Amino acid sequence: MAKSVVLTRRRLMAFSAMIGATQLAGCATGGLPKTVPIPFEQPRASRPVGPPSPADLASMYAEAVDENQTMAAVPYDKIDPRFYRQRVMDPTGEAPGTVIVDTPARFLYVVEPGGTAMRYGVGIGREGFAWAGEGVIQWRQKWPRWKPPNEMVARQPELAKYSIENGGMEGGIDNPLGARALYIFSDGKDTLYRLHGTNDWRSIGKAVSSGCVRLLNQDVIDLYTRVPIKARVIVRQ
């Protein structure tokens, strides 16, 4: 039995030496064997996808202090769950880093590498229906001043004290732009289209009378951390 094992091992060693010599001969002449390429599929992200848990919701939408401003807790149980901030499989097909506003569905997406996207529920105001197309985030601001355009002041004279000429309304929890504002430009010009915060949780998922694209203050702060200046933006009406 031992002799048989030794012979088997010797045969294997001899066969390996023969294969090695053949491969070396191939390298010396440049005649490598042809290979068939195997299609490569981009691996999907391993990030958790799906609705947030009750513990996640309690943390995401809790009362919070930001830049000395106190944001009230959001009664998320009164909001349609599909408008909670959550990671989803990317339905847009756009490049990572792109922001997509799906106006009819009341969703905003930030595309991530690996096939996922962070999705937010939004409310769409009158100005939010006024523009569609591609642009970039030209400017971002924490607790921005609000300067209603002259057309709005003409419709609502009580806003004259916040007009552009009067310097606007100081940033704060009662400011219509909320905790953050991201300003969209296209072809180097201000579109007057804004992604901004709100403390009016009832407006999320709905068409409202004023404003552009509004997110819960807690959500717009999260969005602000994910979207740099010059990020590509697509608004679909």
Side-chain angles (χ1 to χ4, degrees):
M1 181 64 69
K3 184 176 179 180
S4 176
V5 170
V6 171
L7 288 174
T8 300
R9 288 176 178 171
R10 285 177 178 172
R11 287 173 182 169
L12 286 173
M13 292 172 66
F15 181 73
S16 298
M18 179 181 67
I19 293 298
T22 302
Q23 290 177 336
L24 287 174
C27 288
T29 61
L32 292 176
K34 293 183 179 180
T35 58
V36 178
I38 299 174
F40 176 75
E41 182 177 349
Q42 180 70 27
R44 308 297 278 181
S46 60
R47 307 179 190 91
V49 175
S53 68
D56 291 335
L57 288 168
S59 174
M60 287 162 45
Y61 296 125
E63 178 180 296
V65 177
D66 178 81
E67 303 281 328
N68 297 319
Q69 299 287 335
T70 300
M71 300 178 295
V74 176
Y76 53 83
D77 57 325
K78 298 180 181 179
I79 299 175
D80 188 326
R82 65 196 175 105
F83 296 121
Y84 296 157
R85 183 200 324 163
Q86 56 192 283
R87 179 168 283 113
V88 298
M89 299 308 298
D90 172 39
T92 72
E94 300 295 341
T98 306
V99 178
I100 299 96
V101 179
D102 184 344
T103 303
R106 310 290 192 263
F107 290 139
L108 183 152
Y109 298 91
V110 179
V111 181
E112 301 174 321
T116 61
M118 187 61 73
R119 189 182 78 188
Y120 307 82
V122 299
I124 308 294
R126 182 188 295 111
E127 290 80 4
F129 289 106
W131 182 80
E134 288 197 30
V136 297
I137 300 295
Q138 186 71 22
W139 189 41
R140 309 182 311 157
Q141 189 70 27
K142 297 181 178 180
W143 296 101
R145 296 186 75 86
W146 177 54
K147 298 178 181 179
N150 292 331
E151 295 81 0
M152 181 180 290
V153 173
R155 294 194 305 266
Q156 299 173 261
E158 68 275 13
L159 299 178
K161 59 183 177 180
Y162 303 129
S163 67
I164 296 171
E165 291 77 11
N166 289 328
M169 181 181 185
E170 184 178 1
I173 198 64
D174 295 321
N175 187 299
L177 291 181
R180 302 286 188 274
L182 292 80
Y183 301 78
I184 300 177
F185 279 53
S186 181
D187 296 326
K189 298 179 180 179
D190 188 355
T191 65
L192 301 180
Y193 207 92
R194 315 284 188 245
L195 313 177
H196 65 87
T198 183
N199 57 13
D200 182 9
W201 56 267
R202 294 176 181 83
S203 66
I204 300 303
K206 300 175 182 176
V208 291
S209 61
S210 62
C212 282
V213 178
R214 58 176 66 179
L215 299 82
L216 295 168
N217 278 328
Q218 285 86 338
D219 282 350
V220 80
I221 289 174
D222 182 84
L223 176 69
Y224 186 93
T225 66
R226 299 176 188 276
V227 180
I229 291 175
K230 301 299 184 181
R232 180 172 172 244
V233 182
I234 302 172
V235 176
R236 298 172 177 168
Q237 297 287 5

